[in-house]
Amino acid sequence: MTGIHQGSFTKGYEGNWSRSTEFVDRLLTKGSVVLDTNVLLGLYRMDNEARGEFFSVLDALRSRIWVPRQVATEFHANRISALDVYLKSRKEKGDAVKSSIDDLRKSLRSFANIRSLIGERKEAYLRPLEEFLDALSSDTDASLASFDLTVQALVGDDPVLVRLSKLLDGRVGDGIPQERREEELKEAKRRGVERIPPGYKDMEDKGEGGYGDYFIWSETLEYATVSKNPILFVSNDTKEDWMNRQCGLTIGPRPELVAEMRRVANVDYHQISSAALLVRANEALKINVSQRTIDQAEGQQNSDQRRLNRRVMRPQLHDHYKSVEASWNEAQRSMYQLREVVVDRARRIDDLDAELRHGAKGSSELSATTLAEKAREHAVLTQQNIEDLKRELEFQKLVAHLQDELDSARTELVAFESEMRPKSNISLGETAAG
């Protein structure tokens, strides 16, 4: 060492911090706002009023919005299925509420009968409860019927697509050029193998079908390099290859992404959710966004997080399922083996019963000593069967409990498979061609 270096203690570590609202507002008002696929598809999960408020925010940002071609490709491939999944989820939850209401009605009437309520007393007890349940049922029906989008109508007349077309025309990237296709594919594979963010999580799950996140990032890096604008990426994706999460808390985007954006394009980079965008729009853009709309956006983020949790927990869920299945099989086997012992012992007890009855009638050739030994054997075997029948009952309870655990574990795995975020499988060449 030839001298004393006086370097900064904080410069270069910005990606490890939770950034201030002032920093976010600066990017929101001065930088480029890049939208992820899940933000655009999330418009199909908002009601008409909330969707209108969200579009008001996007309209105010239009001159600074930019969308990677990969995002547009994924959006067009998944917009109808995204709405279909959401509508089915709404119906399932609505049906569950209606079923619970019906069960509660039955329970209330049964309880009234137990209390021996009749006539006016029974009516006075049930009336306010029935009125509440009627109102709850009507509200559920109205909520389900009020949603303005249907899959059938979307095919021919998609109001979300119409608004996005007006908003985003001229604001979408050209995609990966054909001459760089092989190079980008190799880079995507390399980053996936070396677990360099973003995109390696999808590559681990889907192989070459999971390159979409990397393509989005590659396009965004190139756009930032040319535009020289700081980047505010709006996404509900909270996987570990996008977000820096520690001790159950989300700090911000991965430090590697912040550093790579600074190294390649020499601009700031940050990521926020669609709900956070709406919150900051209230303050920084002076656009009135209701709490109801923010809540709907947060609901989407929570739904995405639950899907992420299932993805992260998939190996543990599978191991748990196999463990419970093995315990259930072992309990079943032990119960059946015990039952065979009990049945064999019961046959021996029946034989002893017959011999002892003959001895009591004096028709047996067995001596009194032998009969006494058989009586003792009978008593011992009977007691053993009583104890083993108790054990079999405990095995039955254990098997039933393990069956419930097995069903629960299976449900979790099915939920994981059915609720994962859909991804476009369109090739890089098709993306570039767009």
Side-chain angles (χ1 to χ4, degrees):
M1 177 180 280
T2 58
I4 298 175
H5 296 276
Q6 297 179 330
S8 170
F9 184 70
T10 56
K11 187 176 182 180
Y13 298 99
E14 294 84 356
N16 294 279
W17 311 337
S18 179
R19 305 310 294 259
S20 67
T21 55
E22 290 78 12
F23 175 82
V24 175
D25 290 350
R26 179 172 65 82
L27 266 60
L28 183 60
T29 56
K30 303 296 183 182
S32 290
V33 179
V34 180
L35 304 179
D36 195 6
T37 313
N38 50 53
V39 174
L40 300 182
L41 292 178
L43 292 165
Y44 292 101
R45 292 193 280 173
M46 288 182 158
D47 62 31
N48 189 49
E49 181 180 346
R51 198 182 310 124
E53 290 189 355
F54 203 129
F55 269 118
S56 295
V57 173
L58 296 181
D59 287 339
L61 295 169
R62 185 187 184 282
S63 63
R64 287 178 292 103
I65 286 178
W66 186 77
V67 174
R69 176 60 58 182
Q70 178 68 22
V71 167
T73 300
E74 291 180 1
F75 169 82
H76 285 284
N78 294 309
R79 65 185 181 87
I80 294 178
S81 62
L83 176 61
D84 186 49
V85 168
Y86 175 64
L87 291 178
K88 287 178 179 177
S89 176
R90 280 176 61 91
K91 185 178 185 306
E92 288 173 0
K93 292 173 182 175
D95 290 344
V97 171
K98 299 293 288 291
S99 177
S100 297
I101 291 173
D102 291 341
D103 290 342
L104 184 53
R105 287 187 197 277
K106 294 175 184 177
S107 297
L108 290 171
R109 290 165 184 161
S110 176
F111 185 65
N113 292 333
I114 292 174
R115 293 181 59 190
S116 301
L117 299 178
I118 59 175
E120 294 182 357
R121 290 182 61 206
K122 183 176 182 179
E123 184 180 352
Y125 169 74
L126 291 176
R127 186 187 305 114
L129 300 172
E130 290 279 9
E131 289 175 352
F132 169 76
L133 293 178
D134 287 342
L136 182 59
S137 180
S138 297
D139 183 67
T140 302
D141 288 336
S143 178
L144 292 173
S146 66
F147 197 72
D148 62 315
L149 300 179
T150 66
V151 172
Q152 293 77 10
L154 215 63
V155 174
D157 181 18
D158 184 347
V160 175
L161 180 59
V162 170
R163 296 250 352 223
L164 286 176
S165 296
K166 295 178 181 178
L167 176 74
L168 299 179
D169 274 357
R171 312 300 307 170
V172 182
D174 293 330
I176 308 296
Q178 183 70 23
E179 61 270 18
R180 283 175 43 205
R181 180 178 62 178
E182 292 302 322
E183 176 187 345
E184 286 293 287
L185 283 171
K186 289 179 181 178
E187 178 64 7
K189 292 177 182 178
R190 181 189 72 82
R191 293 173 69 117
V193 170
E194 297 180 16
R195 294 175 64 83
I196 299 174
Y200 66 79
K201 291 300 294 180
D202 281 347
M203 294 182 210
E204 288 174 353
D205 292 339
K206 302 179 181 180
E208 293 189 5
Y211 290 163
D213 281 359
Y214 168 71
F215 294 152
I216 291 172
W217 178 247
S218 178
E219 288 188 65
T220 303
L221 282 174
E222 183 173 354
Y223 172 76
T225 301
V226 174
S227 69
K228 299 302 180 184
N229 291 332
I231 300 297
L232 183 63
F233 185 49
V234 184
S235 173
N236 294 322
D237 195 333
T238 56
K239 295 193 300 297
E240 68 175 52
D241 56 346
W242 280 108
M243 300 301 289
N244 178 15
R245 305 178 70 211
Q246 299 179 26
C247 304
L249 302 174
T250 299
I251 308 301
R254 285 283 294 261
E256 299 94 325
L257 302 181
V258 176
E260 186 175 7
M261 184 63 72
R262 173 60 62 182
R263 184 178 69 254
V264 173
N266 197 30
V267 298
D268 286 326
Y269 171 80
H270 194 60
Q271 177 178 334
I272 61 174
S273 67
S274 56
L277 171 68
L278 297 176
V279 171
R280 297 318 311 154
N282 261 328
E283 300 293 328
L285 303 179
K286 307 304 180 185
I287 297 175
N288 184 32
V289 180
S290 67
Q291 186 60 47
R292 181 173 173 275
T293 296
I294 295 171
D295 289 343
Q296 288 190 35
E298 285 182 342
Q300 294 177 23
Q301 187 177 5
N302 291 337
S303 176
D304 291 339
Q305 183 62 45
R306 287 192 294 273
R307 286 195 291 272
L308 170 62
N309 290 341
R310 288 193 175 98
R311 173 179 288 173
V312 172
M313 292 298 292
R314 209 281 182 189
Q316 294 92 324
L317 287 173
H318 184 267
D319 290 345
H320 174 64
Y321 175 81
K322 299 305 290 184
S323 175
V324 173
E325 184 180 43
S327 298
W328 181 83
N329 287 332
E330 177 61 24
Q332 285 269 65
R333 185 184 63 81
S334 298
M335 184 177 70
Y336 289 138
Q337 288 179 343
L338 181 61
R339 186 172 298 166
E340 289 177 0
V341 170
V342 170
V343 170
D344 289 342
R345 194 182 289 135
R347 294 194 185 100
R348 175 58 180 160
I349 291 172
D350 288 342
D351 293 340
L352 290 171
D353 271 338
E355 292 179 9
L356 291 173
R357 281 197 300 270
H358 286 303
K361 294 177 182 179
S363 57
S364 173
E365 297 179 355
L366 299 176
S367 66
T369 301
T370 302
L371 287 172
E373 291 175 353
K374 290 186 178 295
R376 284 194 295 272
E377 182 185 2
H378 184 282
V380 170
L381 293 177
T382 299
Q383 185 60 38
Q384 288 177 342
N385 255 17
I386 291 173
E387 295 301 322
D388 281 349
L389 286 171
K390 291 179 182 178
R391 288 180 59 203
E392 183 180 348
L393 180 61
E394 292 303 315
F395 270 122
Q396 290 175 354
K397 292 179 181 178
L398 176 61
V399 168
H401 171 71
L402 290 173
Q403 182 66 59
D404 289 340
E405 280 202 31
L406 197 61
D407 291 342
S408 177
R410 185 183 296 112
T411 298
E412 285 292 326
L413 282 173
V414 170
F416 165 81
E417 298 295 345
S418 64
E419 292 189 23
M420 292 310 298
R421 173 187 178 184
K423 285 287 186 179
S424 170
N425 288 321
I426 295 177
S427 70
L428 184 58
E430 291 172 309
T431 302

